[in-house]
PDB file of all heavy atoms in Angstrom:
ATOM      1  N   SER A  21       0.833  -1.191   0.000  1.00 98.00           N
ATOM      2  CA  SER A  21       0.000   0.000   0.000  1.00 98.00           C
ATOM      3  C   SER A  21       0.868   1.242   0.000  1.00 98.00           C
ATOM      4  O   SER A  21       2.026   1.216   0.416  1.00 98.00           O
ATOM      5  CB  SER A  21      -0.923   0.018   1.218  1.00 98.00           C
ATOM      6  OG  SER A  21      -1.819  -1.070   1.204  1.00 98.00           O
ATOM      7  N   LEU A  22       0.280   2.319  -0.462  1.00 98.00           N
ATOM      8  CA  LEU A  22       0.941   3.618  -0.440  1.00 98.00           C
ATOM      9  C   LEU A  22      -0.038   4.632   0.121  1.00 98.00           C
ATOM     10  O   LEU A  22      -1.022   4.975  -0.537  1.00 98.00           O
ATOM     11  CB  LEU A  22       1.402   4.030  -1.840  1.00 98.00           C
ATOM     12  CG  LEU A  22       2.214   5.315  -1.922  1.00 98.00           C
ATOM     13  CD1 LEU A  22       3.595   5.118  -1.277  1.00 98.00           C
ATOM     14  CD2 LEU A  22       2.373   5.769  -3.369  1.00 98.00           C
ATOM     15  N   GLN A  23       0.218   5.068   1.329  1.00 98.00           N
ATOM     16  CA  GLN A  23      -0.577   6.120   1.950  1.00 98.00           C
ATOM     17  C   GLN A  23       0.014   7.458   1.545  1.00 98.00           C
ATOM     18  O   GLN A  23       1.179   7.744   1.836  1.00 98.00           O
ATOM     19  CB  GLN A  23      -0.581   5.974   3.468  1.00 98.00           C
ATOM     20  CG  GLN A  23      -1.343   7.067   4.204  1.00 98.00           C
ATOM     21  CD  GLN A  23      -2.825   7.026   3.930  1.00 98.00           C
ATOM     22  OE1 GLN A  23      -3.426   5.957   3.913  1.00 98.00           O
ATOM     23  NE2 GLN A  23      -3.420   8.192   3.704  1.00 98.00           N
ATOM     24  N   MET A  24      -0.775   8.268   0.878  1.00 98.00           N
ATOM     25  CA  MET A  24      -0.314   9.547   0.357  1.00 98.00           C
ATOM     26  C   MET A  24      -1.042  10.667   1.081  1.00 98.00           C
ATOM     27  O   MET A  24      -2.261  10.805   0.964  1.00 98.00           O
ATOM     28  CB  MET A  24      -0.552   9.636  -1.149  1.00 98.00           C
ATOM     29  CG  MET A  24       0.097   8.503  -1.940  1.00 98.00           C
ATOM     30  SD  MET A  24      -0.081   8.694  -3.734  1.00 98.00           S
ATOM     31  CE  MET A  24      -1.859   8.522  -3.888  1.00 98.00           C
ATOM     32  N   ASP A  25      -0.295  11.454   1.826  1.00 98.00           N
ATOM     33  CA  ASP A  25      -0.839  12.573   2.574  1.00 98.00           C
ATOM     34  C   ASP A  25      -0.240  13.881   2.061  1.00 98.00           C
ATOM     35  O   ASP A  25       0.824  13.902   1.443  1.00 98.00           O
ATOM     36  CB  ASP A  25      -0.547  12.426   4.065  1.00 98.00           C
ATOM     37  CG  ASP A  25      -1.171  11.196   4.683  1.00 98.00           C
ATOM     38  OD1 ASP A  25      -2.331  10.880   4.349  1.00 98.00           O
ATOM     39  OD2 ASP A  25      -0.496  10.542   5.512  1.00 98.00           O
ATOM     40  N   VAL A  26      -0.916  14.967   2.354  1.00 98.00           N
ATOM     41  CA  VAL A  26      -0.492  16.299   1.941  1.00 98.00           C
ATOM     42  C   VAL A  26      -0.166  16.296   0.447  1.00 98.00           C
ATOM     43  O   VAL A  26       0.919  16.713   0.018  1.00 98.00           O
ATOM     44  CB  VAL A  26       0.714  16.794   2.767  1.00 98.00           C
ATOM     45  CG1 VAL A  26       0.858  18.316   2.638  1.00 98.00           C
ATOM     46  CG2 VAL A  26       0.572  16.429   4.236  1.00 98.00           C
ATOM     47  N   LEU A  27      -1.098  15.829  -0.329  1.00 98.00           N
ATOM     48  CA  LEU A  27      -0.884  15.715  -1.764  1.00 98.00           C
ATOM     49  C   LEU A  27      -0.754  17.080  -2.420  1.00 98.00           C
ATOM     50  O   LEU A  27      -1.398  18.049  -2.020  1.00 98.00           O
ATOM     51  CB  LEU A  27      -2.023  14.931  -2.399  1.00 98.00           C
ATOM     52  CG  LEU A  27      -1.926  13.414  -2.211  1.00 98.00           C
ATOM     53  CD1 LEU A  27      -3.268  12.757  -2.447  1.00 98.00           C
ATOM     54  CD2 LEU A  27      -0.869  12.836  -3.143  1.00 98.00           C
ATOM     55  N   LYS A  28       0.083  17.125  -3.434  1.00 98.00           N
ATOM     56  CA  LYS A  28       0.355  18.336  -4.191  1.00 98.00           C
ATOM     57  C   LYS A  28       0.002  18.117  -5.654  1.00 98.00           C
ATOM     58  O   LYS A  28       0.019  16.982  -6.132  1.00 98.00           O
ATOM     59  CB  LYS A  28       1.833  18.715  -4.076  1.00 98.00           C
ATOM     60  CG  LYS A  28       2.336  18.903  -2.661  1.00 98.00           C
ATOM     61  CD  LYS A  28       3.839  19.162  -2.647  1.00 98.00           C
ATOM     62  CE  LYS A  28       4.360  19.342  -1.237  1.00 98.00           C
ATOM     63  NZ  LYS A  28       5.829  19.579  -1.221  1.00 98.00           N
ATOM     64  N   PRO A  29      -0.292  19.182  -6.383  1.00 98.00           N
ATOM     65  CA  PRO A  29      -0.586  19.014  -7.817  1.00 98.00           C
ATOM     66  C   PRO A  29       0.525  18.291  -8.570  1.00 98.00           C
ATOM     67  O   PRO A  29       0.231  17.548  -9.513  1.00 98.00           O
ATOM     68  CB  PRO A  29      -0.748  20.457  -8.308  1.00 98.00           C
ATOM     69  CG  PRO A  29      -1.254  21.193  -7.118  1.00 98.00           C
ATOM     70  CD  PRO A  29      -0.530  20.571  -5.946  1.00 98.00           C
ATOM     71  N   GLU A  30       1.760  18.489  -8.177  1.00 97.00           N
ATOM     72  CA  GLU A  30       2.863  17.819  -8.843  1.00 97.00           C
ATOM     73  C   GLU A  30       2.915  16.316  -8.580  1.00 97.00           C
ATOM     74  O   GLU A  30       3.721  15.609  -9.192  1.00 97.00           O
ATOM     75  CB  GLU A  30       4.209  18.460  -8.468  1.00 97.00           C
ATOM     76  CG  GLU A  30       4.393  18.674  -6.984  1.00 97.00           C
ATOM     77  CD  GLU A  30       4.046  20.087  -6.536  1.00 97.00           C
ATOM     78  OE1 GLU A  30       2.979  20.591  -6.927  1.00 97.00           O
ATOM     79  OE2 GLU A  30       4.846  20.690  -5.789  1.00 97.00           O
ATOM     80  N   ASP A  31       2.068  15.823  -7.692  1.00 98.00           N
ATOM     81  CA  ASP A  31       1.944  14.384  -7.490  1.00 98.00           C
ATOM     82  C   ASP A  31       1.049  13.733  -8.537  1.00 98.00           C
ATOM     83  O   ASP A  31       0.952  12.504  -8.580  1.00 98.00           O
ATOM     84  CB  ASP A  31       1.385  14.074  -6.096  1.00 98.00           C
ATOM     85  CG  ASP A  31       2.334  14.483  -4.982  1.00 98.00           C
ATOM     86  OD1 ASP A  31       3.552  14.260  -5.116  1.00 98.00           O
ATOM     87  OD2 ASP A  31       1.841  15.022  -3.962  1.00 98.00           O
ATOM     88  N   THR A  32       0.392  14.530  -9.346  1.00 98.00           N
ATOM     89  CA  THR A  32      -0.493  14.003 -10.375  1.00 98.00           C
ATOM     90  C   THR A  32       0.284  13.129 -11.351  1.00 98.00           C
ATOM     91  O   THR A  32       1.276  13.562 -11.937  1.00 98.00           O
ATOM     92  CB  THR A  32      -1.180  15.144 -11.128  1.00 98.00           C
ATOM     93  OG1 THR A  32      -2.025  15.869 -10.232  1.00 98.00           O
ATOM     94  CG2 THR A  32      -2.025  14.609 -12.278  1.00 98.00           C
ATOM     95  N   ALA A  33      -0.172  11.899 -11.518  1.00 98.00           N
ATOM     96  CA  ALA A  33       0.511  10.943 -12.375  1.00 98.00           C
ATOM     97  C   ALA A  33      -0.278   9.648 -12.395  1.00 98.00           C
ATOM     98  O   ALA A  33      -1.223   9.464 -11.629  1.00 98.00           O
ATOM     99  CB  ALA A  33       1.934  10.671 -11.875  1.00 98.00           C
ATOM    100  N   VAL A  34       0.127   8.755 -13.276  1.00 98.00           N
ATOM    101  CA  VAL A  34      -0.332   7.384 -13.216  1.00 98.00           C
ATOM    102  C   VAL A  34       0.622   6.626 -12.311  1.00 98.00           C
ATOM    103  O   VAL A  34       1.843   6.664 -12.511  1.00 98.00           O
ATOM    104  CB  VAL A  34      -0.389   6.724 -14.605  1.00 98.00           C
ATOM    105  CG1 VAL A  34      -0.812   5.266 -14.487  1.00 98.00           C
ATOM    106  CG2 VAL A  34      -1.349   7.483 -15.505  1.00 98.00           C
ATOM    107  N   TYR A  35       0.085   5.962 -11.329  1.00 98.00           N
ATOM    108  CA  TYR A  35       0.884   5.224 -10.369  1.00 98.00           C
ATOM    109  C   TYR A  35       0.830   3.734 -10.673  1.00 98.00           C
ATOM    110  O   TYR A  35      -0.242   3.168 -10.885  1.00 98.00           O
ATOM    111  CB  TYR A  35       0.386   5.488  -8.945  1.00 98.00           C
ATOM    112  CG  TYR A  35       0.784   6.843  -8.421  1.00 98.00           C
ATOM    113  CD1 TYR A  35       0.224   8.001  -8.941  1.00 98.00           C
ATOM    114  CD2 TYR A  35       1.741   6.970  -7.416  1.00 98.00           C
ATOM    115  CE1 TYR A  35       0.608   9.249  -8.476  1.00 98.00           C
ATOM    116  CE2 TYR A  35       2.121   8.212  -6.944  1.00 98.00           C
ATOM    117  CZ  TYR A  35       1.553   9.350  -7.480  1.00 98.00           C
ATOM    118  OH  TYR A  35       1.932  10.592  -7.008  1.00 98.00           O
ATOM    119  N   TYR A  36       2.000   3.110 -10.671  1.00 98.00           N
ATOM    120  CA  TYR A  36       2.131   1.705 -11.012  1.00 98.00           C
ATOM    121  C   TYR A  36       2.715   0.914  -9.855  1.00 98.00           C
ATOM    122  O   TYR A  36       3.709   1.323  -9.255  1.00 98.00           O
ATOM    123  CB  TYR A  36       3.045   1.516 -12.225  1.00 98.00           C
ATOM    124  CG  TYR A  36       2.549   2.159 -13.496  1.00 98.00           C
ATOM    125  CD1 TYR A  36       2.901   3.463 -13.824  1.00 98.00           C
ATOM    126  CD2 TYR A  36       1.738   1.453 -14.380  1.00 98.00           C
ATOM    127  CE1 TYR A  36       2.456   4.055 -14.998  1.00 98.00           C
ATOM    128  CE2 TYR A  36       1.295   2.036 -15.550  1.00 98.00           C
ATOM    129  CZ  TYR A  36       1.656   3.337 -15.855  1.00 98.00           C
ATOM    130  OH  TYR A  36       1.218   3.910 -17.021  1.00 98.00           O
ATOM    131  N   CYS A  37       2.127  -0.204  -9.594  1.00 98.00           N
ATOM    132  CA  CYS A  37       2.667  -1.147  -8.630  1.00 98.00           C
ATOM    133  C   CYS A  37       3.681  -2.050  -9.312  1.00 98.00           C
ATOM    134  O   CYS A  37       3.512  -2.437 -10.475  1.00 98.00           O
ATOM    135  CB  CYS A  37       1.534  -1.982  -8.031  1.00 98.00           C
ATOM    136  SG  CYS A  37       2.045  -3.201  -6.814  1.00 98.00           S
ATOM    137  N   ASN A  38       4.728  -2.387  -8.601  1.00 97.00           N
ATOM    138  CA  ASN A  38       5.801  -3.223  -9.115  1.00 97.00           C
ATOM    139  C   ASN A  38       6.139  -4.283  -8.074  1.00 97.00           C
ATOM    140  O   ASN A  38       6.222  -3.983  -6.883  1.00 97.00           O
ATOM    141  CB  ASN A  38       7.024  -2.347  -9.424  1.00 97.00           C
ATOM    142  CG  ASN A  38       8.265  -3.138  -9.777  1.00 97.00           C
ATOM    143  OD1 ASN A  38       8.961  -3.628  -8.882  1.00 97.00           O
ATOM    144  ND2 ASN A  38       8.552  -3.235 -11.059  1.00 97.00           N
ATOM    145  N   ALA A  39       6.328  -5.516  -8.534  1.00 97.00           N
ATOM    146  CA  ALA A  39       6.640  -6.599  -7.603  1.00 97.00           C
ATOM    147  C   ALA A  39       7.567  -7.605  -8.247  1.00 97.00           C
ATOM    148  O   ALA A  39       7.328  -8.045  -9.376  1.00 97.00           O
ATOM    149  CB  ALA A  39       5.360  -7.295  -7.137  1.00 97.00           C
ATOM    150  N   ASP A  40       8.610  -7.958  -7.533  1.00 98.00           N
ATOM    151  CA  ASP A  40       9.571  -8.970  -7.972  1.00 98.00           C
ATOM    152  C   ASP A  40       9.128 -10.290  -7.347  1.00 98.00           C
ATOM    153  O   ASP A  40       9.305 -10.500  -6.150  1.00 98.00           O
ATOM    154  CB  ASP A  40      10.975  -8.580  -7.542  1.00 98.00           C
ATOM    155  CG  ASP A  40      12.051  -9.468  -8.123  1.00 98.00           C
ATOM    156  OD1 ASP A  40      11.745 -10.307  -8.988  1.00 98.00           O
ATOM    157  OD2 ASP A  40      13.218  -9.310  -7.708  1.00 98.00           O
ATOM    158  N   ILE A  41       8.595 -11.181  -8.170  1.00 97.00           N
ATOM    159  CA  ILE A  41       7.875 -12.350  -7.672  1.00 97.00           C
ATOM    160  C   ILE A  41       8.556 -13.643  -8.079  1.00 97.00           C
ATOM    161  O   ILE A  41       8.916 -13.831  -9.248  1.00 97.00           O
ATOM    162  CB  ILE A  41       6.421 -12.349  -8.175  1.00 97.00           C
ATOM    163  CG1 ILE A  41       5.706 -11.085  -7.687  1.00 97.00           C
ATOM    164  CG2 ILE A  41       5.689 -13.599  -7.708  1.00 97.00           C
ATOM    165  CD1 ILE A  41       4.305 -10.924  -8.221  1.00 97.00           C
ATOM    166  N   LEU A  42       8.713 -14.534  -7.122  1.00 97.00           N
ATOM    167  CA  LEU A  42       9.119 -15.904  -7.402  1.00 97.00           C
ATOM    168  C   LEU A  42       7.850 -16.698  -7.651  1.00 97.00           C
ATOM    169  O   LEU A  42       7.012 -16.861  -6.762  1.00 97.00           O
ATOM    170  CB  LEU A  42       9.914 -16.483  -6.230  1.00 97.00           C
ATOM    171  CG  LEU A  42      10.467 -17.900  -6.416  1.00 97.00           C
ATOM    172  CD1 LEU A  42      11.483 -17.946  -7.544  1.00 97.00           C
ATOM    173  CD2 LEU A  42      11.098 -18.407  -5.122  1.00 97.00           C
ATOM    174  N   VAL A  43       7.717 -17.197  -8.880  1.00 96.00           N
ATOM    175  CA  VAL A  43       6.495 -17.842  -9.331  1.00 96.00           C
ATOM    176  C   VAL A  43       6.663 -19.354  -9.315  1.00 96.00           C
ATOM    177  O   VAL A  43       7.691 -19.880  -9.748  1.00 96.00           O
ATOM    178  CB  VAL A  43       6.129 -17.374 -10.753  1.00 96.00           C
ATOM    179  CG1 VAL A  43       4.825 -18.016 -11.212  1.00 96.00           C
ATOM    180  CG2 VAL A  43       6.024 -15.860 -10.800  1.00 96.00           C
ATOM    181  N   ARG A  44       5.645 -20.032  -8.846  1.00 95.00           N
ATOM    182  CA  ARG A  44       5.657 -21.495  -8.816  1.00 95.00           C
ATOM    183  C   ARG A  44       5.128 -22.053 -10.138  1.00 95.00           C
ATOM    184  O   ARG A  44       4.009 -21.741 -10.563  1.00 95.00           O
ATOM    185  CB  ARG A  44       4.813 -22.016  -7.662  1.00 95.00           C
ATOM    186  CG  ARG A  44       4.678 -23.541  -7.643  1.00 95.00           C
ATOM    187  CD  ARG A  44       3.861 -24.030  -6.461  1.00 95.00           C
ATOM    188  NE  ARG A  44       2.546 -23.427  -6.421  1.00 95.00           N
ATOM    189  CZ  ARG A  44       1.494 -23.809  -7.145  1.00 95.00           C
ATOM    190  NH1 ARG A  44       1.621 -24.832  -8.002  1.00 95.00           N
ATOM    191  NH2 ARG A  44       0.328 -23.194  -7.031  1.00 95.00           N
ATOM    192  N   ALA A  45       5.927 -22.901 -10.770  1.00 92.00           N
ATOM    193  CA  ALA A  45       5.516 -23.644 -11.949  1.00 92.00           C
ATOM    194  C   ALA A  45       5.344 -25.112 -11.570  1.00 92.00           C
ATOM    195  O   ALA A  45       5.462 -25.483 -10.397  1.00 92.00           O
ATOM    196  CB  ALA A  45       6.525 -23.472 -13.075  1.00 92.00           C
ATOM    197  N   ILE A  46       5.081 -25.953 -12.555  1.00 93.00           N
ATOM    198  CA  ILE A  46       4.802 -27.360 -12.269  1.00 93.00           C
ATOM    199  C   ILE A  46       5.986 -28.056 -11.614  1.00 93.00           C
ATOM    200  O   ILE A  46       5.842 -28.760 -10.601  1.00 93.00           O
ATOM    201  CB  ILE A  46       4.386 -28.099 -13.550  1.00 93.00           C
ATOM    202  CG1 ILE A  46       3.060 -27.531 -14.070  1.00 93.00           C
ATOM    203  CG2 ILE A  46       4.245 -29.596 -13.290  1.00 93.00           C
ATOM    204  CD1 ILE A  46       2.613 -28.129 -15.383  1.00 93.00           C
ATOM    205  N   SER A  47       7.180 -27.879 -12.179  1.00 93.00           N
ATOM    206  CA  SER A  47       8.347 -28.589 -11.669  1.00 93.00           C
ATOM    207  C   SER A  47       9.516 -27.668 -11.324  1.00 93.00           C
ATOM    208  O   SER A  47      10.606 -28.147 -11.014  1.00 93.00           O
ATOM    209  CB  SER A  47       8.810 -29.639 -12.685  1.00 93.00           C
ATOM    210  OG  SER A  47       9.160 -29.048 -13.913  1.00 93.00           O
ATOM    211  N   TYR A  48       9.295 -26.379 -11.370  1.00 94.00           N
ATOM    212  CA  TYR A  48      10.349 -25.436 -11.067  1.00 94.00           C
ATOM    213  C   TYR A  48       9.744 -24.083 -10.711  1.00 94.00           C
ATOM    214  O   TYR A  48       8.548 -23.859 -10.914  1.00 94.00           O
ATOM    215  CB  TYR A  48      11.301 -25.275 -12.257  1.00 94.00           C
ATOM    216  CG  TYR A  48      10.644 -24.677 -13.483  1.00 94.00           C
ATOM    217  CD1 TYR A  48      10.789 -23.332 -13.787  1.00 94.00           C
ATOM    218  CD2 TYR A  48       9.870 -25.468 -14.330  1.00 94.00           C
ATOM    219  CE1 TYR A  48      10.179 -22.783 -14.898  1.00 94.00           C
ATOM    220  CE2 TYR A  48       9.255 -24.925 -15.440  1.00 94.00           C
ATOM    221  CZ  TYR A  48       9.413 -23.582 -15.718  1.00 94.00           C
ATOM    222  OH  TYR A  48       8.803 -23.042 -16.830  1.00 94.00           O
ATOM    223  N   ASN A  49      10.552 -23.218 -10.191  1.00 95.00           N
ATOM    224  CA  ASN A  49      10.145 -21.848  -9.905  1.00 95.00           C
ATOM    225  C   ASN A  49      10.951 -20.882 -10.764  1.00 95.00           C
ATOM    226  O   ASN A  49      12.071 -21.181 -11.168  1.00 95.00           O
ATOM    227  CB  ASN A  49      10.352 -21.510  -8.425  1.00 95.00           C
ATOM    228  CG  ASN A  49       9.561 -22.404  -7.506  1.00 95.00           C
ATOM    229  OD1 ASN A  49       8.487 -22.890  -7.858  1.00 95.00           O
ATOM    230  ND2 ASN A  49      10.089 -22.618  -6.301  1.00 95.00           N
ATOM    231  N   TYR A  50      10.365 -19.740 -11.042  1.00 96.00           N
ATOM    232  CA  TYR A  50      11.079 -18.722 -11.781  1.00 96.00           C
ATOM    233  C   TYR A  50      10.725 -17.345 -11.231  1.00 96.00           C
ATOM    234  O   TYR A  50       9.657 -17.150 -10.653  1.00 96.00           O
ATOM    235  CB  TYR A  50      10.782 -18.805 -13.278  1.00 96.00           C
ATOM    236  CG  TYR A  50       9.339 -18.553 -13.656  1.00 96.00           C
ATOM    237  CD1 TYR A  50       8.902 -17.283 -14.005  1.00 96.00           C
ATOM    238  CD2 TYR A  50       8.422 -19.597 -13.686  1.00 96.00           C
ATOM    239  CE1 TYR A  50       7.584 -17.061 -14.362  1.00 96.00           C
ATOM    240  CE2 TYR A  50       7.108 -19.380 -14.038  1.00 96.00           C
ATOM    241  CZ  TYR A  50       6.691 -18.107 -14.380  1.00 96.00           C
ATOM    242  OH  TYR A  50       5.379 -17.892 -14.735  1.00 96.00           O
ATOM    243  N   LYS A  51      11.622 -16.404 -11.429  1.00 96.00           N
ATOM    244  CA  LYS A  51      11.451 -15.069 -10.896  1.00 96.00           C
ATOM    245  C   LYS A  51      11.167 -14.084 -12.022  1.00 96.00           C
ATOM    246  O   LYS A  51      11.801 -14.123 -13.074  1.00 96.00           O
ATOM    247  CB  LYS A  51      12.697 -14.636 -10.121  1.00 96.00           C
ATOM    248  CG  LYS A  51      12.441 -13.550  -9.096  1.00 96.00           C
ATOM    249  CD  LYS A  51      13.654 -13.346  -8.198  1.00 96.00           C
ATOM    250  CE  LYS A  51      13.337 -12.404  -7.056  1.00 96.00           C
ATOM    251  NZ  LYS A  51      14.517 -12.152  -6.213  1.00 96.00           N
ATOM    252  N   ARG A  52      10.227 -13.201 -11.764  1.00 96.00           N
ATOM    253  CA  ARG A  52       9.829 -12.241 -12.772  1.00 96.00           C
ATOM    254  C   ARG A  52       9.316 -10.968 -12.106  1.00 96.00           C
ATOM    255  O   ARG A  52       8.691 -11.020 -11.046  1.00 96.00           O
ATOM    256  CB  ARG A  52       8.743 -12.837 -13.672  1.00 96.00           C
ATOM    257  CG  ARG A  52       8.211 -11.888 -14.726  1.00 96.00           C
ATOM    258  CD  ARG A  52       7.121 -12.550 -15.542  1.00 96.00           C
ATOM    259  NE  ARG A  52       6.427 -11.600 -16.383  1.00 96.00           N
ATOM    260  CZ  ARG A  52       5.389 -11.881 -17.149  1.00 96.00           C
ATOM    261  NH1 ARG A  52       4.914 -13.117 -17.192  1.00 96.00           N
ATOM    262  NH2 ARG A  52       4.824 -10.934 -17.882  1.00 96.00           N
ATOM    263  N   VAL A  53       9.586  -9.838 -12.736  1.00 97.00           N
ATOM    264  CA  VAL A  53       9.062  -8.566 -12.271  1.00 97.00           C
ATOM    265  C   VAL A  53       7.709  -8.319 -12.925  1.00 97.00           C
ATOM    266  O   VAL A  53       7.575  -8.372 -14.152  1.00 97.00           O
ATOM    267  CB  VAL A  53      10.026  -7.414 -12.589  1.00 97.00           C
ATOM    268  CG1 VAL A  53       9.409  -6.079 -12.186  1.00 97.00           C
ATOM    269  CG2 VAL A  53      11.353  -7.615 -11.879  1.00 97.00           C
ATOM    270  N   TYR A  54       6.712  -8.031 -12.103  1.00 97.00           N
ATOM    271  CA  TYR A  54       5.369  -7.777 -12.585  1.00 97.00           C
ATOM    272  C   TYR A  54       4.993  -6.326 -12.339  1.00 97.00           C
ATOM    273  O   TYR A  54       5.390  -5.726 -11.329  1.00 97.00           O
ATOM    274  CB  TYR A  54       4.359  -8.684 -11.883  1.00 97.00           C
ATOM    275  CG  TYR A  54       4.423 -10.122 -12.313  1.00 97.00           C
ATOM    276  CD1 TYR A  54       5.332 -10.997 -11.729  1.00 97.00           C
ATOM    277  CD2 TYR A  54       3.588 -10.617 -13.304  1.00 97.00           C
ATOM    278  CE1 TYR A  54       5.403 -12.316 -12.129  1.00 97.00           C
ATOM    279  CE2 TYR A  54       3.645 -11.938 -13.706  1.00 97.00           C
ATOM    280  CZ  TYR A  54       4.553 -12.783 -13.117  1.00 97.00           C
ATOM    281  OH  TYR A  54       4.615 -14.097 -13.515  1.00 97.00           O
ATOM    282  N   TRP A  55       4.216  -5.798 -13.260  1.00 97.00           N
ATOM    283  CA  TRP A  55       3.703  -4.442 -13.160  1.00 97.00           C
ATOM    284  C   TRP A  55       2.183  -4.467 -13.145  1.00 97.00           C
ATOM    285  O   TRP A  55       1.547  -5.237 -13.867  1.00 97.00           O
ATOM    286  CB  TRP A  55       4.154  -3.591 -14.344  1.00 97.00           C
ATOM    287  CG  TRP A  55       5.619  -3.282 -14.349  1.00 97.00           C
ATOM    288  CD1 TRP A  55       6.622  -4.020 -14.904  1.00 97.00           C
ATOM    289  CD2 TRP A  55       6.245  -2.130 -13.778  1.00 97.00           C
ATOM    290  NE1 TRP A  55       7.831  -3.406 -14.710  1.00 97.00           N
ATOM    291  CE2 TRP A  55       7.630  -2.245 -14.028  1.00 97.00           C
ATOM    292  CE3 TRP A  55       5.767  -1.016 -13.086  1.00 97.00           C
ATOM    293  CZ2 TRP A  55       8.543  -1.279 -13.604  1.00 97.00           C
ATOM    294  CZ3 TRP A  55       6.678  -0.064 -12.662  1.00 97.00           C
ATOM    295  CH2 TRP A  55       8.046  -0.199 -12.927  1.00 97.00           C
ATOM    296  N   GLY A  56       1.613  -3.611 -12.343  1.00 97.00           N
ATOM    297  CA  GLY A  56       0.181  -3.425 -12.379  1.00 97.00           C
ATOM    298  C   GLY A  56      -0.224  -2.599 -13.584  1.00 97.00           C
ATOM    299  O   GLY A  56       0.614  -2.098 -14.346  1.00 97.00           O
ATOM    300  N   GLN A  57      -1.518  -2.451 -13.758  1.00 96.00           N
ATOM    301  CA  GLN A  57      -2.041  -1.747 -14.923  1.00 96.00           C
ATOM    302  C   GLN A  57      -1.958  -0.232 -14.799  1.00 96.00           C
ATOM    303  O   GLN A  57      -2.118   0.478 -15.791  1.00 96.00           O
ATOM    304  CB  GLN A  57      -3.503  -2.163 -15.156  1.00 96.00           C
ATOM    305  CG  GLN A  57      -4.524  -1.519 -14.217  1.00 96.00           C
ATOM    306  CD  GLN A  57      -4.548  -2.110 -12.821  1.00 96.00           C
ATOM    307  OE1 GLN A  57      -3.848  -3.059 -12.515  1.00 96.00           O
ATOM    308  NE2 GLN A  57      -5.381  -1.529 -11.949  1.00 96.00           N
TER     309      GLN A  57
END
């Protein structure tokens, strides 16, 4: 989460979530960076 207080006009933007995830596959795991919409 991102709690944003005392917001300013210069904070106007599209905000994206980013996560470095270790993903479970059938017989192995892999790591990938995911972005929100």
Side-chain angles (χ1 to χ4, degrees):
S21 297
L22 185 69
Q23 178 66 43
M24 304 185 294
D25 298 319
V26 198
L27 282 161
K28 303 175 180 179
E30 48 263 48
D31 294 318
T32 296
V34 177
Y35 285 70
Y36 298 90
C37 180
N38 172 279
D40 188 8
I41 300 175
L42 183 64
V43 182
R44 175 178 56 80
I46 295 176
S47 60
Y48 64 100
N49 300 330
Y50 63 93
K51 203 170 188 182
R52 177 181 169 184
V53 176
Y54 288 85
W55 291 89
Q57 77 284 357

